[in-house]
Amino acid sequence: MEQAASSSSGSVKVEFNDPFGISHLISDDFQARLPLRNLHWNSASRPLRSIDSLYIELIPSPANESDLRSRPLSAINGSSAGEGLQTANGEPSRTEARPISQPKERRHQIPGLRQTPYLKVFFLRCDDVDTYRASSRKLLRDWIKEQTLSAQGTSGGQEYHDASEWLIVHVVIPDARAVSSADRASQAKGEAQDDQIKSSSPWQLRSAATVFEKMRSDFNGPSKAIADRVVQVYASKGPNDAAPVISPEEYRKASSRGWDELLVSIKALILASFDLRVKQYEEDIREKGYQRNVPGWNFCTYFVLKEGLARGFENVGLVEDALMGYDELSLELEAAIIDQKVQASTGQPAGLFQETTQDLLVQAEKALEMKDSPGVSGPEAASPQQLIIDSDRKPYRELILANNISAFDFQCYAFSRKVALLLRLASRSPSTGHSPVSQVNSPTNQSTPQLRQGMDVKDQEDLAILADICHRSIAFITAAGSVMREDLALSFVDRPGLEESTQQLRLAIAENIISSWTLTAAQEILHKTNAPLLQAQLASQPKDRPLIESHHSQGSVTSPVTGRSPFMARFPARHSSLLGRMSPITPSVRPESLASPEAPPSSKSLAPPRPLPTGMQDLVAQRAELYLVARQVLTHAALRYGWTISWDTLLSSQDALPEVFEDVSLDSKVTATKDERQDGQGEQCQTLLGIENKSFRAALDQEETFHSLYEDWTTAASLLFRIASRIKAAAAMCADIALIRFHHKDYFAAAENLRLVIPVYAQDDWNSLEVALLDLYVQSLKKLDRTDERVRASLDLLSKLARDDEGSQLSLSNPFAGKKTYFQDLLSASKELDEPIQVPMDGFFRDISVRPQILHFQEKDGFRLLLQFRYLIRERMIVEEVKVKIVSTDERQARDIWLTSEGSREMIMGPNEVYVGSHVLMPSWYRVEIIIITSAQVKFSQILSTGLSSDGVISSLSDLSSIQQPRILLWPRARALELRLLPHDVIHLEESRSIVIQVASAGNSIEAGELRVKSGTAGMRLLVADAEIIHQGEIIRKMGRTGVVPFGKLAADSMLKIRIPYRLELEVKEISVKAEISYSTGFGAFQFASNLSLSVLLPLGVNVQDIFKQDSLFSKFSISTAASVPLRLVRCSLIGTEDFEVSSPPWDAAGLTIFVKQPVSVLYKIKRKDREHKTSRGLQTRLLMHVDFQCLDEEILASCEKAFDQVVGNGHILEYSRLLKPFLLSSLRSKMYSQSLDDPGMLHEFDIGPPEDLKLDSVLRAVSEEHRKPLSQELKTWYQEHKTMTLFESGGSAHVRRITIPVDIPQMQVVFTARLVFSRQDPQSSITPDAVNIGQPLHAQLIISYSRTWDTRASLLQHKTDSLECSYDVEANNDTWMIGGQKRVYFTARENDMLKFPVLLIPQRSGRLLYPAVDIRVVNEEKRAEHSNKSSALTTSETNYQNQGETFLVVPNLRSTTVSLHPDGLAGGAWLVESSRRQDVAHG
């Protein structure tokens, strides 16, 4: 039978027959071209597969084996180029070949066990054609016939399992005659033929008569063959190193072509053999699969057959396909194991697998035999070279073939094969776990041939595949451990007739064997996946970032070389601070975010410091899981000794915490049971028999060693989890480290580890664990005397305990349920702090609410709010101060008010109430933002968002307008100080405008105060330095600091006004002023602030039209409203000066009403006074116009306010008057501007509408519930009584305001007076100039004179008595008048001269015709201005045309007309027959 391969070679076997002993001549050249590259296998049943590199292994044929023993031949199997393949004397060197079955030995019938070559090569040397014909041809034919018969001689149709191809390689030696003959044949063909051959044939050195061509003709086969079966290669050197007989360049080119052809043929022929084998295997596997339910079906035979296909894939480099085959086999193996268990449970015989593993049984029996040996605990550990996960550890395939394998061994073999394939995929050796590159130079290199041929493997591992190995290993170790336990239980433990102690001992030995195997398997996987990149990543971890472990070195099992425990010493040394010892972090480090969950330190301290390579995250996570598997095994084994790492055992052993368990009743029965368990275990349970792992045995020998090893593994897992960004897992490991460090009284390391862990558990509401961690943290900080951090941690602990109390989640397992002194310790410790500490309230208080209805003080200004909350801590707390901050909801003003409680008080667990008040009042809508409760140096604060606390469940604030944003309305009491912004009574357009701030003291006796005023409008500047204080008719100018107006005493129920000028850089409709008044009374200091606004638009507009006469000026003033609000014009006057007198029209005392579309016009006559003027002083030409008015909207508001004040003293309206009045006036203002006020202006009445229109319900919510309903009823009664407001009674309720407008006398240097006077041509005619005929000439005189009476700047005319050169124009429409003579005439005149000019006018149509227009100008001034190009030199003039607006009556000059109306007429039936003029009739 063929010997079964112990392991997959990972290469393709190629058998060679070298009867001439020439293989060593081409070995170097052949090796330099290996492995084969870029092969592509295309199968009909599979997608295209690409093979990057294929390793081949040359083996001698059986026929040449005896010859090779006497004349050794080199096997081209991947040795380095420097290895000699021949001896010093020129003889071929011997290379050890793998043992090969004898040719006559019967082959095994299971094809999966065979290792046969894919290609058979015959090396031939023949220098001439005669030799070829005589002997070589027959030799080749016999060899080919032998190969063909060998392929066809097998029976059963399984010839394709060993499918192989053959190839003939003709080797040409440089000095052989074959080369020279080929060269001479080539030269004989001539130069032209040489060129043709060179260009068309690749065989430049071959002719039709060469040996190679003869072989190709005899054996190459048809042209459609898969590849050439005859190739020729040229050896680079001969036996005697002779030079080639042809030129070296030609020889080199021919050699390169030959080697290329050889590689192409080898690739194609190997793939052809491989394709045939795969098809045959797949067919047989399908056939075996169909026979699964047939009696006698053998899974082991099926396994070997299917594994043969997987190994075939592995040999050609298709590792992924091979791995897929083993995965399928693993699933089928698990199903077979389950089927056998089912059959065994039903009593059926199950002979598929052996029920017991002989090795395990022998190991257990040997351990049991050592029970009575004195001083011996167990056998020594297995040698590190004896790997557990190794397919060559046992002859697994022979056991499978013989059906003599257990389920455990079967699983181990299948998994070891998968690990080997995965390591190969990751570019790692399956035997050692190191990269192939590192093994090439190793003196003990026993790697497979493909790793020893032309090393071209990258030493960069695929980390994702290594992570997959770890992941698979965890599942395998778990499953295999269960199988081992069943195996040992059946073969070793469960034996009838044994004593109880012996039974317990056997069980303990079995568990030790299983635990030891599990730890060793995990160790091997960690070793195999220990990639250099991983080591670099671990070494790059910063020394000050990882989780802390320090200050302990006693009691740990360490290596004398590495200083580490023996188990950890088996791993490569890591340069991480986690696995070694590091210097402690300085005590100045503070816990991060214990009271601020927004930014937990876990994201900073537990996260990886840099981006990881691809696959690194999965690899480190899976390696950490392997550490946890090992740790779990160690913990489970330590339970037999009563050793455990848990909160109960570690905390109960601490002297620092005796009081923690005072109030917890421990079940004595449970304690007794534990003691009984420990006593009952005795020596037989606490045994080390069966443990072969030295580290494991040492850990179970001493408790300190157990803790040390447990901590080492936990630390390693913690670091790996941190690199993998698995923060929660790293935190769990960190917590375990903290427990151990606290147990060893290393409080610094425990505190630093807990500092990182606690916020992670806080995020996920792990209350029970977090409470335990916090208590441990507090005790550690107390030992370290770190007060600040201790106070913060204690507050966190109290918060968690309070939450447990609130939710009734306490249990007996919580050792902190009865703790009563935490808070007092906390307050005592906080007094040592330099600064107060801020703590969120939500962990200590619940149901925090602020009543939105404010409460006023009785005798002083200010307000109060009622704060209600539930205190959660069982211990009482003395509160020194409670503060509440409210902020304005108005976006236009960012104001806030702090309210403070008076005195200290004691808080008890449950509901509590506190009144907080303030002397600062700023009327507006507010919301609660911050609540602070101060006790000692601890400030419990809560920042509220939209009236809700951060946890979203506390608040009972009622929203006055919407549900989303609860608000509080602040308003002053009825007798509180009041500020109003009023316009100044007089507006002078030439002076700076002013505002008036009215301060009413009401019920306050003010001792002193000051007013701060700021502009709230862009571009507005308040001239506070020019402010005036008006009090009791006196004007006081008292200046203070910039922007501050101080004032003195102000009695109760008195008033003062402060007038402040202002300037505007931009045109605005409304101005805003931020006024803040601070004042002091007998009750203390107070502050009142408000945002005041005022409309600054001028309510009226004035237009003027001037008409000049010879000695007077008529000015018509048109007064209109500038807005949509009517005005009441009380009085209007124009004041004259010393040079001009004004005649005013009579004025009605009732005034006039100005509407939007109905302005008022007032006409004034202005005359210049006759008196001499001094030339040194000009004329006073500026007049002042005073307009007294009242605005209708102000009158409506004033009337409503007056009516409301009349009933304030009745009922509840007085108390809430300062709340209701502003809202009422604001609502009325909105209603007024939404409708036309023309009707109230004419009727002097205004309907305020029903109460429902004002929507008082929203503001009434700010009133206490007991007063809300009575107040609403009183308001409705007032509305019913004052539904219609009467306006302008007794002069009106609004103030009469005045606007002073400066009016300048217009300058006119020359005023011309012109008139047309008609003269009679015929005195006897009855036609007067007032009625003329069409076409009748009219003779007229244009009388012109001018005056300089209105020349108010006479100095501009240097020669006032000089004559002026003037011109006049007579203009008329040609369709109306025909003007005879010149239309433009130039003339010269003096002042007061009367000039007459004739004018001839002829009317052109009948009707009322206006006089022609006359325009007179000064000519000489125009010419002078035109010459000097200065417009200022022009003389202004105005023409007083006295005939302006007068008309002529023009009639037709006809008396009778005769027309004909006949239908046959030429003009359509009507034409003029006769007409007679009026003049003709008159003369006739």
Side-chain angles (χ1 to χ4, degrees):
M1 186 185 75
E2 229 179 356
Q3 181 182 358
S6 62
S7 63
S8 177
S9 63
S11 62
V12 174
K13 293 183 180 298
V14 176
E15 180 183 290
F16 68 92
N17 192 344
D18 185 16
F20 298 94
I22 57 176
S23 59
H24 67 282
L25 300 178
I26 61 174
S27 61
D28 292 341
D29 295 334
F30 191 35
Q31 177 187 348
R33 291 168 172 83
L34 293 181
L36 303 178
R37 302 287 186 182
N38 300 325
L39 289 81
H40 304 285
W41 174 53
N42 191 5
S43 175
S45 60
R46 297 174 182 269
L48 178 66
R49 295 286 194 270
S50 295
I51 304 173
D52 296 332
S53 60
L54 177 62
Y55 298 92
I56 64 174
E57 180 182 3
L58 266 67
I59 59 175
S61 65
N64 281 19
E65 186 175 2
S66 59
D67 184 51
L68 286 172
R69 292 194 183 100
S70 60
R71 185 174 52 83
L73 176 69
S74 173
I76 305 173
N77 55 7
S79 60
S80 63
E83 296 183 54
L85 296 180
Q86 64 182 19
T87 60
N89 58 3
E91 292 296 326
S93 64
R94 178 179 300 274
T95 301
E96 296 297 334
R98 180 175 298 188
I100 303 175
S101 302
Q102 296 297 326
K104 296 182 180 180
E105 187 175 358
R106 183 177 60 87
R107 295 181 177 180
H108 200 282
Q109 62 180 351
I110 300 178
L113 295 176
R114 290 198 287 264
Q115 293 281 339
T116 57
Y118 285 73
L119 178 64
K120 298 180 180 181
V121 182
F122 190 94
F123 292 118
L124 174 68
R125 176 183 178 182
C126 185
D127 295 338
D128 54 50
V129 178
D130 295 338
T131 304
Y132 171 73
R133 292 173 180 174
S135 60
S136 299
R137 179 187 297 173
K138 184 177 182 304
L139 183 64
L140 292 175
R141 285 177 177 173
D142 293 342
W143 180 77
I144 294 174
K145 183 178 180 180
E146 180 183 356
Q147 307 309 318
T148 305
L149 292 176
S150 177
Q152 297 177 355
T154 57
S155 61
Q158 297 183 357
E159 64 276 4
Y160 291 129
H161 289 117
D162 300 328
S164 64
E165 298 289 343
W166 55 269
L167 176 66
I168 299 174
V169 179
H170 181 225
V171 181
V172 178
I173 300 175
D175 60 346
R177 288 177 297 171
V179 178
S180 60
S181 62
D183 184 59
R184 289 193 300 269
S186 177
Q187 293 178 359
K189 295 182 182 294
E191 187 69 21
Q193 188 174 0
D194 287 344
D195 296 339
Q196 182 180 1
I197 293 174
K198 290 179 181 179
S199 62
S200 61
S201 175
W203 310 95
Q204 298 182 12
L205 299 181
R206 303 165 191 165
S207 64
T210 61
V211 175
F212 177 65
E213 291 298 332
K214 287 289 185 179
M215 286 190 293
R216 286 176 58 89
S217 176
D218 294 339
F219 303 106
N220 201 32
S223 59
K224 296 183 179 180
I226 56 177
D228 289 333
R229 294 184 179 273
V230 179
V231 294
Q232 177 173 281
V233 296
Y234 292 78
S236 59
K237 60 182 179 179
N240 300 321
D241 294 335
V245 297
I246 62 175
S247 64
E249 182 64 24
E250 293 181 359
Y251 190 86
R252 186 186 60 79
K253 293 182 180 179
S255 176
S256 177
R257 288 194 298 269
W259 281 109
D260 292 342
E261 293 173 1
L262 175 61
L263 296 181
V264 171
S265 297
I266 292 177
K267 291 179 183 179
L269 294 174
I270 289 176
L271 288 179
S273 301
F274 175 70
D275 186 63
L276 291 175
R277 294 189 181 199
V278 170
K279 291 179 180 178
Q280 186 65 53
Y281 271 108
E282 289 178 342
E283 182 180 351
D284 292 347
I285 291 170
R286 283 194 297 270
E287 182 180 354
K288 291 291 184 181
Y290 295 150
Q291 299 174 0
R292 187 182 300 271
N293 297 324
V294 176
W297 184 81
N298 193 319
F299 175 78
C300 295
T301 304
Y302 174 78
F303 181 90
V304 173
L305 179 62
K306 194 167 184 178
E307 188 189 16
L309 176 61
R311 285 177 175 268
F313 283 126
E314 182 184 2
N315 290 338
V316 299
L318 298 176
V319 185
E320 292 87 350
D321 295 83
L323 182 62
M324 185 183 300
Y326 277 105
D327 286 337
E328 295 174 358
L329 285 174
S330 298
L331 294 176
E332 294 173 348
L333 175 60
E334 292 179 6
I337 294 174
I338 294 174
D339 292 341
Q340 178 165 326
K341 291 180 180 179
V342 173
Q343 293 176 6
S345 63
T346 57
Q348 300 179 10
L352 182 59
F353 306 115
Q354 295 295 324
E355 294 182 352
T356 62
T357 303
Q358 193 64 26
D359 293 348
L360 297 179
L361 179 59
V362 171
Q363 182 182 355
E365 294 291 351
K366 186 181 297 185
L368 185 62
E369 292 174 359
M370 301 181 68
K371 167 189 174 184
D372 299 328
S373 300
V376 178
S377 301
E380 291 298 324
S383 174
Q385 286 75 21
Q386 187 177 357
L387 301 178
I388 291 180
I389 303 176
D390 186 3
S391 60
D392 294 333
R393 185 171 179 266
K394 289 183 181 181
Y396 287 110
R397 302 194 71 187
E398 284 75 0
L399 294 175
I400 295 172
L401 187 61
N403 289 338
N404 192 23
I405 189 170
S406 65
F408 173 70
D409 283 342
F410 218 144
Q411 286 182 326
C412 289
Y413 173 70
F415 179 72
S416 64
R417 291 294 301 132
K418 290 190 288 185
V419 170
L421 293 175
L422 289 169
L423 288 175
R424 181 176 175 183
L425 280 177
S427 299
R428 300 177 67 84
S429 169
S431 60
T432 63
H434 293 287
S435 61
V437 175
S438 64
Q439 288 202 9
V440 172
N441 300 324
S442 174
T444 61
N445 180 16
Q446 300 295 332
S447 59
T448 54
Q450 75 274 14
L451 301 179
R452 290 184 273 113
Q453 299 182 58
M455 299 309 300
D456 193 17
V457 181
K458 298 181 180 179
D459 56 355
Q460 182 75 20
E461 296 85 358
D462 190 337
L463 302 181
I465 297 179
L466 297 181
D468 188 28
I469 294 176
C470 296
H471 178 71
R472 291 169 179 259
S473 300
I474 295 173
F476 164 71
I477 291 174
T478 304
S482 176
V483 174
M484 286 181 67
R485 185 169 285 104
E486 295 177 359
D487 194 327
L488 289 173
L490 182 62
S491 62
F492 180 71
V493 178
D494 298 337
R495 292 189 178 182
L498 296 178
E499 296 180 0
E500 181 67 21
S501 60
T502 305
Q503 186 78 12
Q504 290 294 332
L505 178 60
R506 285 176 173 267
L507 179 61
I509 292 175
E511 290 295 332
N512 287 343
I513 293 174
I514 297 171
S515 300
S516 179
W517 180 91
T518 303
L519 290 178
T520 306
Q523 170 189 345
E524 289 184 9
I525 295 300
L526 289 171
H527 180 58
K528 289 176 182 293
T529 58
N530 192 17
L533 277 179
L534 175 62
Q535 292 300 310
Q537 181 67 32
L538 293 174
S540 66
Q541 296 302 306
K543 305 300 181 182
D544 57 342
R545 291 282 304 275
L547 309 180
I548 306 301
E549 56 149 338
S550 62
H551 296 39
H552 80 285
S553 59
Q554 307 177 21
S556 61
V557 178
T558 58
S559 170
V561 178
T562 61
R564 297 180 292 154
S565 63
F567 181 82
M568 298 303 295
R570 302 185 67 179
F571 294 91
R574 292 180 173 86
H575 302 287
S576 171
S577 58
L578 276 178
L579 301 181
R581 300 293 181 259
M582 61 172 293
S583 59
I585 294 180
T586 57
S588 61
V589 179
R590 293 293 184 263
E592 300 179 16
S593 304
L594 285 177
S596 178
E598 293 81 4
S602 60
S603 61
K604 299 178 181 179
S605 301
L606 298 179
R610 66 180 67 180
L612 301 177
T614 303
M616 178 64 73
Q617 186 172 6
D618 294 335
L619 175 60
V620 295
Q622 295 302 325
R623 287 176 65 87
E625 295 291 346
L626 277 173
Y627 278 111
L628 293 186
V629 170
R631 195 186 72 160
Q632 183 179 5
V633 173
L634 178 64
T635 305
H636 179 73
L639 288 175
R640 297 197 301 269
Y641 300 85
W643 305 339
T644 182
I645 298 179
S646 63
W647 292 99
D648 294 336
T649 56
L650 289 178
L651 292 179
S652 61
S653 63
Q654 298 304 313
D655 297 333
L657 295 175
E659 70 279 9
V660 174
F661 300 93
E662 289 178 359
D663 297 334
V664 178
S665 299
L666 299 177
D667 190 354
S668 59
K669 181 179 180 181
V670 175
T671 305
T673 303
K674 179 178 178 181
D675 297 337
E676 292 173 2
R677 179 180 61 81
Q678 293 178 352
D679 295 340
Q681 286 174 351
E683 183 181 355
Q684 64 273 20
C685 293
Q686 298 179 1
T687 181
L688 300 179
L689 296 174
I691 299 178
E692 296 185 352
N693 191 294
K694 291 183 179 180
S695 300
F696 186 33
R697 187 169 63 251
L700 296 181
D701 193 24
Q702 294 181 0
E703 185 177 4
E704 292 299 326
T705 309
F706 161 70
H707 283 286
S708 177
L709 187 58
Y710 182 92
E711 184 178 2
D712 285 343
W713 289 347
T714 304
T715 304
S718 177
L719 173 62
L720 294 174
F721 278 134
R722 187 178 74 102
I723 298 176
S725 298
R726 292 177 57 174
I727 306 303
K728 295 181 180 178
M733 299 298 100
C734 186
D736 292 343
I737 295 173
L739 281 174
I740 301 172
R741 292 294 88 223
F742 190 86
H743 177 69
H744 290 286
K745 298 184 180 181
D746 187 359
Y747 303 112
F748 175 79
E752 292 303 315
N753 282 282
L754 290 170
R755 178 179 64 88
L756 304 179
V757 172
I758 293 173
V760 179
Y761 287 101
Q763 290 179 353
D764 297 329
D765 293 333
W766 289 63
N767 260 17
S768 57
L769 285 176
E770 190 181 358
V771 166
L773 291 171
L774 280 171
D775 182 77
L776 197 63
Y777 187 50
V778 169
Q779 300 304 323
S780 300
L781 294 175
K782 185 176 181 180
K783 294 293 184 180
L784 295 173
D785 196 20
R786 289 155 65 170
T787 306
D788 189 3
E789 299 175 36
R790 174 191 166 196
V791 169
R792 295 180 183 274
S794 300
L795 288 168
D796 247 7
L797 176 59
L798 283 171
S799 174
K800 304 304 177 183
L801 291 175
R803 184 178 301 177
D804 284 345
D805 287 340
E806 183 185 17
S808 300
Q809 298 176 354
L810 291 175
S811 62
L812 291 178
S813 61
N814 189 345
F816 313 97
K819 189 72 175 178
K820 299 298 182 183
T821 61
Y822 267 116
F823 202 74
Q824 299 302 326
D825 295 344
L826 164 68
L827 296 180
S828 300
S830 67
K831 296 178 181 179
E832 302 176 8
L833 299 178
D834 296 333
E835 297 179 357
I837 185 172
Q838 298 282 344
V839 183
M841 290 180 61
D842 52 3
F844 306 88
F845 303 90
R846 282 288 188 274
D847 301 333
I848 305 172
S849 64
V850 178
R851 290 185 58 185
Q853 293 83 20
I854 66 173
L855 302 173
H856 291 112
F857 298 105
Q858 295 295 330
E859 298 180 353
K860 61 181 180 178
D861 292 349
F863 69 99
R864 293 184 301 167
L865 287 175
L866 178 60
L867 175 65
Q868 298 173 328
F869 53 86
R870 185 161 56 90
Y871 179 54
L872 304 179
I873 307 300
R874 294 183 178 182
E875 300 180 58
R876 298 193 176 192
M877 177 176 63
I878 303 299
V879 175
E880 285 83 5
E881 185 182 46
V882 178
K883 298 177 66 177
V884 177
K885 178 184 177 181
I886 59 176
V887 295
S888 175
T889 60
D890 190 354
E891 297 179 355
R892 296 172 299 178
Q893 57 179 4
R895 291 180 174 175
D896 58 82
I897 300 176
W898 282 96
L899 293 87
T900 309
S901 63
E902 296 181 359
S904 61
R905 59 169 297 162
E906 185 180 48
M907 298 290 177
I908 60 175
M909 187 176 182
N912 291 267
E913 292 184 353
V914 177
Y915 283 96
V916 290
S918 175
H919 288 178
V920 178
L921 184 62
M922 304 174 186
S924 182
W925 290 97
Y926 289 82
R927 61 178 177 86
V928 179
E929 184 180 67
I930 300 176
I931 300 175
I932 299 177
I933 299 177
T934 304
S935 179
Q937 285 287 81
V938 181
K939 290 189 175 182
F940 301 94
S941 62
Q942 186 69 45
I943 300 178
L944 308 181
S945 177
T946 64
L948 297 177
S949 66
S950 57
D951 59 8
V953 298
I954 47 177
S955 182
S956 60
L957 295 177
S958 300
D959 187 2
L960 300 181
S961 61
S962 63
I963 299 177
Q964 291 78 14
Q965 190 175 4
R967 297 185 298 174
I968 299 174
L969 180 59
L970 298 189
W971 45 278
R973 65 189 182 103
R975 298 283 291 166
L977 182 139
E978 182 179 8
L979 290 180
R980 283 194 177 188
L981 179 62
L982 305 173
H984 196 257
D985 293 341
V986 178
I987 301 176
H988 200 298
L989 298 185
E990 285 189 332
E991 299 176 358
S992 297
R993 301 181 63 176
S994 302
I995 57 173
V996 175
I997 298 179
Q998 178 179 294
V999 181
S1001 62
N1004 295 282
S1005 296
I1006 299 176
E1007 298 175 355
E1010 59 182 17
L1011 176 68
R1012 295 179 180 87
V1013 184
K1014 293 182 180 180
S1015 172
T1017 303
M1020 177 183 176
R1021 180 183 178 186
L1022 292 173
L1023 306 178
V1024 183
D1026 299 333
E1028 297 178 349
I1029 300 176
I1030 306 172
H1031 180 50
Q1032 296 179 353
E1034 297 182 1
I1035 299 178
I1036 305 172
R1037 298 180 62 89
K1038 187 176 182 181
M1039 302 311 303
R1041 301 185 305 273
T1042 303
V1044 177
V1045 180
F1047 59 91
K1049 292 184 178 181
L1050 187 64
D1053 297 321
S1054 60
M1055 183 184 302
L1056 64 82
K1057 295 182 179 181
I1058 301 174
R1059 188 183 69 85
I1060 304 175
Y1062 68 91
R1063 293 176 183 174
L1064 288 174
E1065 298 177 359
L1066 303 173
E1067 292 289 338
V1068 294
K1069 297 180 179 180
E1070 187 178 67
I1071 61 173
S1072 177
V1073 174
K1074 299 178 180 179
E1076 180 179 333
I1077 184 170
S1078 300
Y1079 57 98
S1080 58
T1081 66
F1083 296 100
F1086 299 86
Q1087 185 178 350
F1088 181 85
S1090 179
N1091 278 357
L1092 308 174
S1093 60
L1094 179 67
S1095 176
V1096 294
L1097 287 177
L1098 292 177
L1100 54 83
V1102 178
N1103 295 322
V1104 62
Q1105 181 181 2
D1106 296 321
I1107 303 174
F1108 288 92
K1109 298 297 182 180
Q1110 188 76 18
D1111 56 354
S1112 61
L1113 171 64
F1114 293 90
S1115 294
K1116 179 182 178 182
F1117 292 89
S1118 179
I1119 305 174
S1120 61
T1121 176
S1124 60
V1125 179
L1127 302 175
R1128 178 171 176 263
L1129 191 59
V1130 178
R1131 183 173 179 81
C1132 182
S1133 60
L1134 186 64
I1135 309 301
T1137 64
E1138 295 180 357
D1139 299 312
F1140 297 92
E1141 61 179 356
V1142 179
S1143 299
S1144 301
W1147 195 261
D1148 188 0
L1152 301 174
T1153 303
I1154 304 175
F1155 297 97
V1156 178
K1157 298 182 180 179
Q1158 186 178 351
V1160 172
S1161 297
V1162 182
L1163 184 64
Y1164 293 95
K1165 181 179 180 182
I1166 303 173
K1167 296 187 65 175
R1168 185 171 178 175
K1169 296 180 179 179
D1170 295 333
R1171 70 189 195 91
E1172 295 296 331
H1173 299 284
K1174 297 181 180 180
T1175 56
S1176 60
R1177 184 179 64 87
L1179 298 177
Q1180 295 183 6
T1181 60
R1182 174 158 296 183
L1183 310 179
L1184 294 179
M1185 183 178 183
H1186 301 298
V1187 180
D1188 299 338
F1189 64 93
Q1190 290 176 311
C1191 295
L1192 183 60
D1193 56 346
E1194 296 177 0
E1195 174 65 20
I1196 294 174
L1197 295 176
S1199 300
C1200 291
E1201 184 177 3
K1202 182 179 179 180
F1204 186 81
D1205 291 339
Q1206 292 176 355
V1207 296
V1208 161
N1210 301 326
H1212 297 87
I1213 295 184
L1214 175 62
E1215 182 180 354
Y1216 298 98
S1217 60
R1218 295 287 295 275
L1219 169 66
L1220 300 175
K1221 186 193 300 184
F1223 188 83
L1224 173 64
L1225 298 179
S1226 177
S1227 300
L1228 290 176
R1229 186 180 291 107
S1230 300
K1231 182 177 181 180
M1232 285 189 305
Y1233 295 148
S1234 63
Q1235 63 185 14
S1236 176
L1237 296 180
D1238 290 344
D1239 291 345
M1242 290 184 293
L1243 301 176
H1244 290 187
E1245 290 181 352
F1246 181 74
D1247 186 4
I1248 63 175
E1252 293 77 10
D1253 294 346
L1254 299 179
K1255 300 179 181 180
L1256 292 173
D1257 293 340
S1258 59
V1259 73
L1260 288 179
R1261 294 181 183 178
V1263 179
S1264 58
E1265 295 183 0
E1266 61 272 14
H1267 293 166
R1268 190 175 300 171
K1269 187 174 182 180
L1271 183 61
S1272 177
Q1273 186 62 37
E1274 293 178 11
L1275 286 174
K1276 290 180 180 179
T1277 303
W1278 181 85
Y1279 266 93
Q1280 293 175 357
E1281 296 176 355
H1282 301 82
K1283 183 177 181 181
T1284 301
M1285 293 290 178
T1286 302
L1287 307 179
F1288 303 114
E1289 282 187 334
S1290 302
S1293 301
H1295 290 286
V1296 176
R1297 297 163 58 190
R1298 168 175 290 185
I1299 292 182
T1300 300
I1301 304 172
V1303 179
D1304 291 330
I1305 301 295
Q1307 163 143 9
M1308 196 59 61
Q1309 295 176 327
V1310 178
V1311 177
F1312 293 97
T1313 302
R1315 180 174 180 79
L1316 280 174
V1317 178
F1318 290 90
S1319 59
R1320 296 178 179 273
Q1321 298 292 338
D1322 186 3
Q1324 303 297 327
S1325 175
S1326 61
I1327 299 177
T1328 64
D1330 294 333
V1332 296
N1333 297 326
I1334 296 176
Q1336 179 181 351
L1338 298 176
H1339 296 273
Q1341 286 184 343
L1342 179 60
I1343 303 174
I1344 298 175
S1345 63
Y1346 74 90
S1347 172
R1348 293 183 177 177
T1349 303
W1350 300 105
D1351 184 8
T1352 58
R1353 293 182 295 174
S1355 60
L1356 294 177
L1357 296 178
Q1358 298 178 1
H1359 306 284
K1360 188 175 180 180
T1361 58
D1362 295 344
S1363 60
L1364 294 177
E1365 183 177 353
C1366 308
S1367 67
Y1368 71 85
D1369 294 295
V1370 180
E1371 299 175 353
N1373 194 344
N1374 294 333
D1375 295 337
T1376 305
W1377 294 97
M1378 179 181 294
I1379 301 174
Q1382 294 182 353
K1383 294 183 179 180
R1384 174 174 292 180
V1385 176
Y1386 292 89
F1387 62 92
T1388 302
R1390 296 180 182 273
E1391 186 178 3
N1392 297 326
D1393 288 350
M1394 187 173 295
L1395 303 179
K1396 297 181 180 179
F1397 302 93
V1399 178
L1400 179 63
L1401 301 175
I1402 302 175
Q1404 298 298 309
R1405 62 181 180 85
S1406 61
R1408 290 280 183 179
L1409 303 182
L1410 290 174
Y1411 276 65
V1414 176
D1415 184 21
I1416 307 174
R1417 297 179 182 178
V1418 179
V1419 176
N1420 55 347
E1421 298 294 336
E1422 292 179 359
K1423 291 182 179 180
R1424 206 164 32 242
E1426 182 179 355
H1427 180 71
S1428 62
N1429 292 326
K1430 295 181 180 179
S1431 58
S1432 60
L1434 290 176
T1435 302
T1436 58
S1437 62
E1438 183 77 15
T1439 301
N1440 180 19
Y1441 185 35
Q1442 296 181 353
N1443 297 105
Q1444 186 76 29
E1446 296 182 4
T1447 60
F1448 269 92
L1449 178 60
V1450 180
V1451 297
N1453 190 15
L1454 297 175
R1455 177 170 184 153
S1456 63
T1457 301
T1458 304
V1459 296
S1460 172
L1461 301 174
H1462 195 278
D1464 297 333
L1466 297 177
W1471 66 91
L1472 179 63
V1473 177
E1474 181 182 11
S1475 64
S1476 59
R1477 291 180 175 273
R1478 185 180 300 274
Q1479 293 181 355
D1480 295 340
V1481 174
H1483 290 289

